Amino acid sequence: MIKSLLVIQQGLPYMLQGAVVNVIVVLSAMLFGFMLGLPLAVGQVYGNRFVRRIIGIYVWFFRGIPLLVFLFLFYFGLFTWLNINVSAFMVATMVLGLISSAYQSQILRGAISSLSQGQMKAARALGMSDVKAIIFIILPQAFRLSIPGWTNEYAILLKDSAVTYALGVTELMSRAHHIASRTYEHLAIYLAAGFIFLIFTYIGTKLLNVLHKKVTIPGYSR
């Protein structure tokens, strides 16, 4: 017991550095996913039938294949075939971002669809174009309504980021495995790694909940 605690104490700074890598991967993937997911959501709500069908196939594709398969497909398959030298960190961020874009598009689509259609009609009656109405009226409200969904997406991405260890990304699980293989304190080290994931999940979701309360309009509901 004492030996396990000493190993955790000595390895904690090293593992925390890996946890920071996890957070960077997650935040980068969420930003990338948002940049892709936003136009996908708008296209699903306001696009024609062909656009909605194409976006639906994209969402179905990236939601239907396991993360590990995508990591191997891109890192060992696609980029190797194209003879492009890309770091494991970049591949992990890109793959997580693509998968997140599919989920975030549905979060935003649900938020946009929950708004009254009368708002768009009123904007048109005032002479606003559909693009301006979406940017200045629809999306600001949809962003507020999407924060709870983003909270869940952050927690999922943080847990999924542990799988990037398979590519050699020096994140928390990679460092925990390195310590455990040298000290043979597997139980203690992996329990510590799980606890660190819990802490970072709590911090991220708590911050997003605070943001949600801050931007919520009193008396406003879907």
Side-chain angles (χ1 to χ4, degrees):
M1 182 66 178
I2 296 178
K3 180 184 176 182
S4 299
L5 292 176
L6 288 175
V7 170
I8 293 174
Q9 182 182 5
Q10 293 173 358
L12 187 60
Y14 182 66
M15 289 194 294
L16 288 176
Q17 292 175 3
V20 172
V21 174
N22 286 90
V23 173
I24 293 174
V25 169
V26 169
L27 295 180
S28 301
M30 286 193 70
L31 178 60
F32 183 42
F34 172 75
M35 294 173 64
L36 289 178
L38 178 58
L40 293 176
V42 173
Q44 278 195 308
V45 177
Y46 298 108
N48 57 38
R49 184 176 181 181
F50 175 76
V51 171
R52 293 198 301 269
R53 179 62 62 85
I54 295 299
I55 295 175
I57 294 174
Y58 175 93
V59 172
W60 167 78
F61 180 74
F62 281 102
R63 290 171 64 180
I65 297 178
L67 169 61
L68 186 60
V69 175
F70 272 125
L71 289 173
F72 286 178
L73 179 64
F74 276 75
Y75 190 66
F76 298 110
L78 181 61
F79 288 114
T80 301
W81 179 63
L82 295 174
N83 198 24
I84 299 176
N85 186 18
V86 183
S87 67
F89 176 87
M90 290 299 298
V91 172
T93 301
M94 183 184 303
V95 169
L96 284 171
L98 289 170
I99 295 175
S100 180
S101 69
Y103 285 97
Q104 289 197 57
S105 70
Q106 299 311 291
I107 294 172
L108 289 164
R109 182 186 64 82
I112 294 172
S113 299
S114 69
L115 300 173
S116 172
Q117 296 183 0
Q119 296 191 40
M120 180 63 76
K121 296 178 181 179
R124 291 168 178 165
L126 293 173
M128 296 183 69
S129 65
D130 287 356
V131 174
K132 286 186 178 180
I134 291 171
I135 293 175
F136 296 108
I137 296 177
I138 302 300
L139 289 183
Q141 300 176 76
F143 291 156
R144 290 187 175 95
L145 297 175
S146 298
I147 295 177
W150 284 331
T151 303
N152 188 52
E153 180 67 7
Y154 166 81
I156 293 173
L157 281 178
L158 184 61
K159 290 185 292 183
D160 286 347
S161 67
V163 182
T164 63
Y165 155 66
L167 296 185
V169 179
T170 56
E171 44 76 64
L172 174 57
M173 282 305 299
S174 173
R175 293 168 184 249
H177 178 73
H178 177 68
I179 296 173
S181 62
R182 293 182 60 186
T183 62
Y184 299 101
E185 293 289 340
H186 295 83
L187 177 61
I189 292 300
Y190 290 133
L191 280 175
F195 187 69
I196 293 172
F197 271 115
L198 283 175
I199 292 175
F200 277 87
T201 300
Y202 174 79
I203 293 173
T205 54
K206 187 67 175 179
L207 290 175
L208 286 170
N209 287 331
V210 170
L211 176 63
H212 182 232
K213 292 180 180 179
K214 187 174 182 179
V215 301
T216 298
I217 301 174
Y220 177 81
S221 61
R222 293 182 180 221

